[in-house]
Amino acid sequence: MKKLFLMAALCCMSVGAFAQHEAGTFTLQPKFGMNVANITGDDIDGVKAKVGFVAGAEAEYQFTDMISGAVGVLWSQQGCMSKYDHPLTGKKAKLFLDYINVPVVCNVYVAKGLAVKAGVQFGFQLNDDIKSDGNKVGEWDGKEFDFSIPVGLSYEYSNVVLDARYNWGLTKTNEIKTHNSVFQFTLGYKFAL
């Protein structure tokens, strides 16, 4: 039992040694990257992931040496692609769901430069077009609000931040039971304020 307590104490001390930011600091991080997005659900078939663009900024406040909170505003291209040809154009169709997303995440720095993150995200839909061969062929007629849970990791070196997240959509995107499923990869740079 003593060995177990000793190992737990050593683990806690080693995590404390990885602390990286001074408490009370505030940073702003412009970022851009790509999404690998899809629509998932029981009542949907014949879709596959679509690659899109994401860009915006996050503000982060360091509460303690190990824990910070961040709020961001990101323009995010989401949606999916059809595995089948569209009946009118004979070409693959893509669903374009553009959102303004507002992630609110907690970052826990577990090693120097490495943070584990989780939180909530509020998404506000800008459009929901179905396009084939670059032409609009319909609308998704989806919900204008999306709530999701972002979880992920980030690594920071010399103020450059690589971030990988999965945004797990909880809100139905339309009347059938479909949800957003988005893997997001971004590159950012932190400016101290």
Side-chain angles (χ1 to χ4, degrees):
M1 188 60 105
K2 287 181 183 179
K3 288 181 182 179
L4 183 62
F5 284 120
L6 181 59
M7 285 182 63
L10 287 173
C11 286
C12 288
M13 286 190 305
S14 67
V15 169
F18 290 129
Q20 98 154 33
H21 296 288
E22 186 178 323
T25 58
F26 186 77
T27 58
L28 182 65
Q29 180 192 166
K31 60 195 314 186
F32 70 95
M34 74 171 200
N35 289 332
V36 180
N38 207 342
I39 300 293
T40 61
D42 296 336
D43 299 330
I44 192 164
D45 186 30
V47 296
K48 61 183 182 176
K50 177 177 99 47
V51 175
F53 184 73
V54 60
E58 285 188 349
E60 182 177 353
Y61 181 76
Q62 198 72 35
F63 294 109
T64 70
D65 289 343
M66 290 178 52
I67 298 172
S68 71
V71 176
V73 176
L74 302 170
W75 173 61
S76 181
Q77 291 181 328
Q78 298 171 198
C80 64
M81 290 178 58
S82 173
K83 290 183 181 175
Y84 310 111
D85 292 338
H86 192 272
L88 297 177
T89 64
K91 300 196 176 182
K92 302 280 185 259
K94 292 182 183 180
L95 171 61
F96 289 87
L97 297 176
D98 290 350
Y99 289 89
I100 294 293
N101 287 329
V102 180
V104 180
V105 296
C106 177
N107 301 304
V108 178
Y109 289 89
V110 294
K112 186 172 182 180
L114 181 65
V116 176
K117 51 187 69 213
V120 296
Q121 179 171 274
F122 309 96
F124 305 94
Q125 191 179 88
L126 300 175
N127 74 337
D128 60 352
D129 295 337
I130 299 171
K131 294 183 179 179
S132 181
D133 198 27
N135 299 314
K136 184 176 175 178
V137 293
E139 290 183 352
W140 179 245
D141 195 26
K143 306 287 185 178
E144 294 182 1
F145 178 76
D146 182 60
F147 179 76
S148 59
I149 303 290
V151 293
L153 297 170
S154 66
Y155 183 73
E156 178 182 347
Y157 181 76
S158 297
N159 295 344
V160 176
V161 181
L162 294 171
D163 190 302
R165 297 181 191 182
Y166 175 70
N167 296 321
W168 176 34
L170 299 179
T171 309
K172 292 190 297 185
T173 58
N174 65 2
E175 291 307 317
I176 60 177
K177 295 177 182 177
T178 60
H179 305 273
N180 282 306
S181 174
V182 182
F183 288 95
Q184 188 173 87
F185 307 95
T186 59
L187 177 66
Y189 187 86
K190 281 188 179 179
F191 295 95
L193 300 177

